[in-house]
Amino acid sequence: MPVHEYFTAMFRGLDEARAGGGTEAEQEARAQRFMDEYRRLDEGWDAAGIAIEDAAVPGPHGPVPVRTYRPEGALDGAVLWCHGGGFRHGDLDMPEGHIVAIELARRARAFVVSVDYRLADGERVLYPFPIDDVHTAWSWLAGLEEFADAPLGLGGASAGAALAVSTALRARDTGPREADALLLAYPFAHYPNPALDLDLYPEMAALPFRFDAAGVETMVRNYVGRISDVPPDALPGAARLDGLPPTWIVVSEYDDLRGSAELLERQLAEVGVPVESYLAAGMTHGHLNHPPRVHEIEESIAFMARGLKG
């Protein structure tokens, strides 16, 4: 299918918001007001029945903020969730963090821990700080007696999906406990980023937000500090992947990083890791930052919740 009308209408609205003249700051302020109204995130995303608490876990680089989500009643397991943002943006409040965590808690009957890992700044905070923070939160979750015999999942979106895989690799090799499932939304797991299939280029050409080669290079340099000799677990598609748990991958149809998601699926299958994917038709990268009034966004969340249940 073509790019979903939800996104094409959004792109038109952003163009119109910026076309009203004024300074660049005024144009961006209008665009942000449009986005806030367009997404209407207060609809359908209430946290009724979910107890939410903020906490911090001691880590090697200082406290790691986490936010926990506990649905009422008996639990079927737990999951650690990592928001996206190119390793340099994002927080616990972004929809891809907060709202996805609420929905995973509700749909999978799971205790969800959303981790506010340190963001790379290209100088002081670099790889492996973000992975260290996520592994710290994972070790804390794995050590909770309540979940000693329950399935534990690791998940994330985009750069957060890469951190989830890297943490699963570390848990496989050093403990304290291996993950039972990986839930990955449009993962960015490779550098260089695999090219798109040629038949996607006509639709992709019209999108205003793209991950071009220079942008991907800047993202990696900011995270790792260089673009050569990139450590295998930084972008974990280059790592040894055998022994990872069953994995569920959400793929955005119109996404410059789609090639990474699809290559990771093939790599996991090659080494015997059970893997399933859901192609979110018409969706662009980061579609979990939008509300599930759109069927494909709803189904992306439901797919990961089913993965956690096994």
Side-chain angles (χ1 to χ4, degrees):
M1 66 179 293
V3 176
H4 197 282
E5 60 183 7
Y6 173 90
F7 288 103
T8 56
M10 182 184 77
F11 299 148
R12 285 196 302 271
L14 284 171
D15 287 343
E16 292 170 0
R18 294 188 175 108
T23 67
E24 182 176 346
E26 290 170 338
Q27 293 175 35
E28 289 308 309
R30 290 197 303 272
Q32 186 60 55
R33 287 195 297 271
F34 166 80
M35 284 298 299
D36 291 344
E37 172 59 25
Y38 189 80
R39 292 190 300 183
R40 298 194 304 278
L41 293 174
D42 56 334
E43 293 185 8
W45 291 98
D46 68 278
I50 309 292
I52 302 174
E53 295 184 5
D54 288 333
V57 180
H61 311 296
V64 180
V66 297
R67 181 173 293 166
T68 66
Y69 301 76
R70 180 183 294 271
E72 296 175 345
L75 300 177
D76 293 333
V79 61
L80 184 73
W81 181 254
C82 308
H83 65 77
F87 305 104
R88 71 185 303 174
H89 304 292
D91 55 35
L92 297 179
D93 293 324
M94 66 188 294
E96 201 175 63
H98 182 61
I99 293 173
V100 171
I102 289 173
E103 292 301 316
L104 288 177
R106 177 176 288 133
R107 296 164 190 245
R109 303 295 315 154
F111 178 71
V112 178
V113 180
S114 184
V115 56
D116 197 15
Y117 54 87
R118 282 165 177 77
L119 300 175
D121 60 13
E123 297 178 0
R124 186 183 61 84
V125 179
L126 296 164
Y127 162 90
F129 278 40
I131 303 173
D132 292 344
D133 283 352
V134 177
H135 186 254
T136 291
W138 173 254
S139 299
W140 173 77
L141 176 59
L144 295 179
E145 185 176 352
E146 176 182 5
F147 302 108
D149 299 317
L152 295 187
L154 256 169
S158 192
L163 296 176
V165 177
S166 297
T167 301
L169 293 170
R170 191 179 292 188
R172 177 198 66 187
D173 296 338
T174 67
R177 172 179 168 176
E178 296 183 30
D180 297 299
L182 270 174
L183 314 174
L184 309 177
Y186 34 84
F188 171 51
H190 301 86
Y191 183 75
N193 180 49
L196 292 172
D197 287 339
L198 291 177
D199 59 359
L200 288 172
Y201 282 108
E203 292 283 356
M204 295 289 292
L207 298 183
F209 305 119
R210 301 292 302 274
F211 289 90
D212 60 17
V216 171
E217 180 175 314
T218 298
M219 182 164 53
V220 173
R221 193 184 298 277
N222 181 74
Y223 170 43
V224 181
R226 58 188 185 275
I227 57 171
S228 61
D229 190 28
V230 175
D233 64 333
L235 280 304
R240 183 175 64 84
L241 300 173
D242 59 286
L244 287 178
T247 301
W248 284 261
I249 302 176
V250 172
V251 182
S252 298
E253 182 174 16
Y254 297 115
D255 179 4
D256 289 294
L257 303 184
R258 174 177 172 174
S260 184
E262 293 179 330
L263 177 55
L264 181 63
E265 180 179 8
R266 296 194 299 272
Q267 289 175 308
L268 291 169
E270 181 180 72
V271 296
V273 175
V275 58
E276 296 183 29
S277 65
Y278 167 68
L279 178 62
M283 296 292 101
T284 62
H285 190 84
H287 66 266
L288 292 183
N289 272 312
H290 300 267
R293 295 190 304 273
V294 177
H295 170 75
E296 288 77 10
I297 299 175
E298 150 75 24
E299 185 55 32
S300 294
I301 297 171
F303 172 80
M304 291 192 294
R306 291 194 296 270
L308 187 60
K309 286 177 170 288

